[in-house]
């Protein structure tokens, strides 16, 4: 375990100081503090790398891809520490695991806004700070000069925004476009003598994947491939068997797949009707007319259970893909604006999801599990001058690493209680982060929707150990090299007993390093 001094040096900036940035884009204080980068973070809700073309996804995301492909990087082993929205956002803001920042789950946690966050530290250092879009932390933002947030999950159509001091205003339009428009307007009106940090926080592509009217036809001619473990029967993985996120069994035909028919009410059809009631009448008519023939086909045809599951899967994939399109367009508009304004070389631009998501792998939608698809999150970065890494970064990283990265890029000392590691060495071309040989995970939201048991675990480059706990105990070990889709739990396989022992030691080491005392107790210490 590494020891940290109370304040880690704001290293790396000396390397940045070599470049001279135009004053319109960044500042140089009188006392010759180093030049500071602008930081622009575009985060979407539930966007997973299987649905980004830069990661080999089946859909087209040319603008998101550009961030990494023109002069930037794509992180291939970026993982969240708790795969669910509020907790993930709290980790990003604080650079700390959930048990340290206090926001462990969406349902009962309230973010203590008085605690240290990277926006507060940047603001105190003279940055203009702003956030627009999804927030989901159940208390009002602190540390931002400007904030306009969606209440809770927010709406796709005609969403409300809460603005300072605490005023809720309903706006006309589609959430993704409104969030992009507001972000560009804010950049236009910024104080050009100071650096900025802007968080653009999309609601899309969160469930229930409501496309923009002009995008309804997109992807309708595409038949998406079924993942090879689409019909997983969860043998040897009792926690997976208990989860309620199977496309066949738990995805709602009306609410999720838009296959609404009055004579076939579903568990969530009332909720879907309520969502439709928030649309303008003309839009709603087009929307309903578009999906009606599919609803008729679904309810009037004779289909086996498997055929129904596959039909729902195609509806799910197509609607999710449609909802990505305006996000990608918005990223393109932001890139164009930065280039026009001469900000491209002085601004780091990130695109990320708040976690990963299942696109039919294991038969699922949703996230929460420590399995690869949901623990991994997409992370692409356009790098400004002075940060020369290019291509794919393979090192294990976590979302708690972003806060210290931003602080270092701003020339702000990284407080010693931040648990993440700055990624700046990787952005300058280093292949490894000193001291990062494994990553730690802890998910808490249970009992709750989707019934994913509480669990914690540790992952290194090859193996993953998971302990599901609370009302039952299950241990799992995966050999990701032999079994990349995590179908075979080898925890009880004698051939892996030495690996189990080693990974259990690594788990204790991680829980000790991050001071997860509750988990240590559950783990027998
Ligand atoms: C809602 C969704 C869930 C989803 C959670 C958390 N149900 O409750 O499917 O897992 O959000 O998502 S819904 O019926 O309301 O659509 S998160 O991204 O905000 O963490
Ligand atoms: Ca999310």
């Amino acid at each position: 375990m590494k020891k940290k001094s109370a304040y880690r040096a704001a290293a790396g900036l000396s390397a940045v100081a070599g470049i001279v940035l135009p004053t319109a884009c960044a500042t140089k204080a009188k006392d010759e503090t180093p030049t500071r980068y602008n930081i622009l973070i575009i985060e979407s809700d539930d966007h997973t790398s299987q649905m980004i073309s830069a990661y080999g996804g089946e859909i087209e995301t040319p603008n998101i891809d550009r961030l990494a492909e023109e002069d930037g990087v794509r992180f291939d082993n970026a993982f969240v520490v708790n795969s669910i929205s509020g907790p993930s956002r709290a980790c990003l803001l604080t650079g700390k695991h959930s048990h340290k920042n206090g926001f462990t789950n969406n349902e009962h946690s309230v973010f203590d806004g008085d605690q240290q966050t990277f926006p507060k530290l940047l603001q105190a250092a003279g940055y203009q700070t702003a956030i627009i879009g999804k927030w989901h932390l159940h208390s009002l933002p602190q540390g931002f000069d400007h904030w306009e947030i969606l209440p809770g999950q927010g709406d796709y159509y005609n969403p409300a925004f809460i603005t300072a001091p605490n005023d809720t205003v309903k706006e006309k339009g589609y959430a993704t476009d409104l969030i992009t428009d507001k972000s560009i307007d804010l950049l236009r009106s910024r104080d050009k003598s100071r650096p900025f940090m802007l968080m653009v926080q999309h609601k899309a592509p969160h469930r229930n994947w409501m496309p923009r009217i002009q995008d309804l036809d997109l992807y309708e001619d595409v038949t998406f491939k079924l993942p090879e473990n689409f019909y997983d029967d969860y043998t040897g993985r009792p926690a997976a068997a208990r989860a309620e996120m199977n496309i066949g069994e738990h995805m709602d035909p009306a609410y999720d797949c838009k296959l609404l028919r009055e004579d076939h009410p579903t568990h969530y059809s009332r909720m879907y009707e309520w969502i439709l009631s928030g649309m303008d009448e003309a839009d709603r008519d087009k929307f309903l007319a578009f999906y009606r023939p599919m609803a008729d086909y679904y309810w009037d045809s004779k289909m086996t259970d498997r055929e129904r599951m596959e039909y729902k899967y195609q509806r799910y994939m197509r609607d999710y893909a449609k909802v990505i399109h305006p996000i990608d367009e918005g990223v393109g508009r932001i890139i164009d604006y930065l280039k026009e304004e001469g900000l491209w070389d002085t601004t780091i631009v990130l695109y990320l999801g708040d976690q990963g998501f299942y696109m039919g792998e294991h038969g699922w939608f949703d996230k929460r599990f420590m399995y690869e698809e949901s623990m991994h999150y997409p992370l692409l970065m356009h790098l400004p001058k002075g940060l020369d890494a290019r291509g794919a970064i393979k090192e294990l990283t976590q979302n708690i690493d972003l806060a210290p990265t931003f602080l270092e890029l701003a020339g702000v000392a990284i407080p010693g209680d931040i648990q993440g590691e700055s990624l700046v060495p990787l952005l300058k071309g280093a292949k490894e982060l000193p001291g990062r040989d494994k990553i730690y995970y802890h998910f808490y939201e249970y009992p709750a929707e989707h019934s994913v048991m509480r669990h914690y675990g540790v992952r290194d480059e090859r193996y993953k150990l998971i302990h599901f706990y609370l009302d039952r105990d299950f241990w799992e070990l995966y050999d990701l090299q032999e079994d990349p889709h995590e179908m075979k739990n080898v925890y009880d396989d004698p051939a892996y007993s030495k690996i189990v022992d080693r990974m259990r030691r690594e788990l204790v080491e991680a829980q000790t390093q991050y001071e997860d005392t509750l988990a240590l107790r559950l783990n027998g210490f």
Side-chain angles (χ1 to χ4, degrees):
M1 188 176 79
K2 267 183 305 172
K3 273 252 175 290
K4 287 172 193 160
S5 58
Y7 268 84
R8 288 184 263 166
L13 266 297
S14 48
V16 174
I19 52 167
V20 180
L21 305 179
T23 47
C25 320
T27 59
K28 237 175 197 292
K30 286 188 206 84
D31 62 352
E32 282 304 305
T33 46
T35 305
R36 298 173 295 171
Y37 290 116
N38 299 309
I39 299 167
L40 207 158
I41 302 158
I42 307 171
E43 181 174 31
S44 51
D45 193 5
D46 293 356
H47 194 181
T48 191
S49 36
Q50 304 96 293
M51 298 299 265
I52 294 180
S53 35
Y55 281 99
E58 282 181 85
I59 68 169
E60 291 307 317
T61 52
N63 294 302
I64 294 170
D65 298 359
R66 269 167 79 191
L67 292 175
E69 287 167 4
E70 275 185 20
D71 34 25
V73 288
R74 183 192 75 209
F75 284 77
D76 286 355
N77 285 305
F79 296 96
V80 295
V81 305
N82 185 355
S83 179
I84 189 141
S85 165
S88 184
R89 289 155 204 271
C91 292
L92 176 76
L93 290 174
T94 59
K96 295 178 186 172
H97 280 272
S98 308
H99 62 278
K100 286 287 183 189
N101 65 48
F103 200 102
T104 56
N105 70 89
N106 279 341
E107 300 203 352
H108 306 291
S109 301
V110 177
F111 188 68
D112 170 11
D114 290 340
Q115 68 184 299
Q116 168 184 286
T117 62
F118 86 82
K120 282 189 187 172
L121 294 167
L122 293 186
Q123 190 183 44
Y127 269 67
Q128 299 165 79
T129 57
I131 183 164
I132 295 180
K134 187 168 174 182
W135 169 251
H136 209 200
L137 291 174
H138 310 316
S139 57
L140 295 179
Q142 293 187 34
F144 297 94
D145 300 331
H146 179 93
W147 52 267
E148 278 179 84
I149 56 168
L150 300 171
Q153 296 285 9
D155 294 320
Y156 276 104
Y157 280 89
N158 302 328
F161 285 86
I162 309 173
T163 49
N166 192 0
D167 197 9
T168 304
V169 182
K170 210 168 161 52
E171 306 231 2
K172 273 221 162 299
Y174 187 72
T176 307
D177 294 335
L178 290 168
I179 291 167
T180 302
D181 291 345
K182 284 173 183 292
S183 301
I184 294 176
D185 286 350
L186 196 67
L187 287 174
R188 283 208 175 94
S189 64
R190 76 192 186 281
D191 168 1
K192 295 188 175 174
S193 69
R194 291 194 292 142
F196 65 83
M197 187 286 294
L198 169 63
M199 300 177 77
V200 181
Q201 306 283 120
H202 287 297
K203 179 224 167 28
H206 193 274
R207 189 182 184 190
N208 68 331
W209 317 292
M210 295 283 286
R212 204 169 54 172
I213 292 298
Q214 62 265 45
D215 298 331
L216 282 171
D217 286 322
L218 292 180
Y219 294 101
E220 283 300 322
D221 55 352
V222 177
T223 302
F224 288 91
K225 278 203 302 282
L226 290 185
E228 60 184 68
N229 57 0
F230 188 68
Y231 289 115
D232 190 355
D233 64 3
Y234 315 118
T235 302
R237 288 155 293 142
R242 290 169 133 213
E244 295 174 357
M245 47 200 245
N246 183 276
I247 292 173
E249 264 184 82
H250 308 108
M251 181 174 269
D252 192 84
Y255 171 69
D256 289 316
C257 304
K258 334 279 179 314
L259 304 168
L260 179 71
R261 261 256 304 250
E262 306 69 30
D263 55 341
H264 285 277
T266 64
H267 191 64
Y268 282 132
S269 50
R270 295 294 294 275
M271 187 148 99
Y272 182 46
E273 281 167 338
W274 182 81
I275 287 178
L276 290 167
S277 72
M279 295 169 76
D280 294 345
E281 205 179 324
D283 285 351
R284 186 168 57 241
D285 289 348
K286 283 187 201 142
F287 206 90
L288 286 168
F290 179 80
Y291 288 102
R292 182 67 193 212
M294 301 164 206
D296 290 344
Y297 175 80
Y298 182 81
W299 293 112
D300 294 339
S301 319
K302 276 206 169 24
M303 284 193 250
T304 62
D305 287 351
R306 283 195 170 205
E307 284 165 347
R308 264 184 213 287
M309 181 168 171
E310 289 182 24
Y311 191 83
K312 284 161 81 181
Y313 169 72
Q314 294 299 337
R315 289 268 31 99
Y316 166 47
M317 295 294 284
R318 289 175 188 157
D319 287 344
Y320 186 109
K322 291 173 202 192
V323 164
I324 299 302
H325 185 67
I327 300 180
D328 189 70
E329 260 180 19
V331 172
R333 286 171 54 206
I334 290 174
I335 294 175
D336 291 346
Y337 176 79
L338 295 174
K339 289 191 169 180
E340 275 158 36
E341 279 286 292
L343 291 167
W344 190 241
D345 289 342
T346 54
T347 305
I348 182 166
V349 185
L350 287 82
Y351 184 83
L352 64 143
D354 63 341
Q355 3 75 199
F357 213 73
Y358 296 95
M359 304 308 301
E361 299 86 0
H362 302 283
W364 286 335
F365 63 105
D366 214 65
K367 53 259 179 174
R368 298 163 192 263
F369 277 108
M370 195 188 160
Y371 303 134
E372 292 293 278
E373 290 83 358
S374 51
M375 183 193 193
H376 180 262
Y377 74 105
L379 177 63
L380 306 100
M381 295 184 191
H382 152 70
L383 298 179
K385 283 220 162 72
L387 301 174
D388 296 327
R390 295 290 179 268
I393 291 187
K394 302 284 180 196
E395 178 68 329
L396 298 171
T397 67
Q398 297 210 267
N399 56 342
I400 52 170
D401 298 332
L402 294 174
T405 305
F406 301 143
L407 294 173
E408 184 169 348
L409 291 174
V412 175
I414 301 169
D417 60 351
I418 284 192
Q419 297 184 311
E421 295 289 322
S422 166
L423 301 176
V424 170
L426 300 178
L427 304 185
K428 289 185 180 160
K431 294 286 169 255
E432 288 182 1
L433 280 185
R436 174 58 59 73
D437 53 356
K438 57 180 172 294
I439 53 175
Y440 182 61
Y441 186 90
H442 196 159
F443 173 81
Y444 299 79
E445 192 169 304
Y446 177 87
E449 193 178 5
H450 299 298
S451 287
V452 174
M453 289 177 69
R454 292 186 192 205
H455 57 292
Y456 52 72
V458 71
R459 183 201 191 279
D460 68 12
E461 278 170 8
R462 176 159 176 188
Y463 299 102
K464 186 186 290 183
L465 177 73
I466 313 178
H467 181 207
F468 292 93
Y469 69 89
L470 199 68
D471 48 359
R472 302 276 296 279
D473 267 311
F474 303 122
W475 285 88
E476 296 184 356
L477 180 80
Y478 295 96
D479 180 344
L480 298 169
Q481 190 175 295
E482 298 300 318
D483 175 27
H485 303 305
E486 296 160 298
M487 298 293 286
K488 197 163 178 243
N489 172 14
V490 293
Y491 187 80
D492 292 320
D493 181 340
Y496 283 91
S497 65
K498 284 211 170 77
I499 305 289
V500 167
D501 290 347
R502 176 164 71 72
M503 292 304 283
R504 285 195 71 150
R505 279 197 303 276
E506 299 216 348
L507 181 63
V508 175
E509 218 175 271
Q511 289 172 338
T512 309
Q513 174 181 349
Y514 296 123
E515 299 174 334
D516 192 353
T517 43
L518 167 76
L520 265 174
R521 272 208 306 280
L522 290 160
N523 196 10
F525 291 85

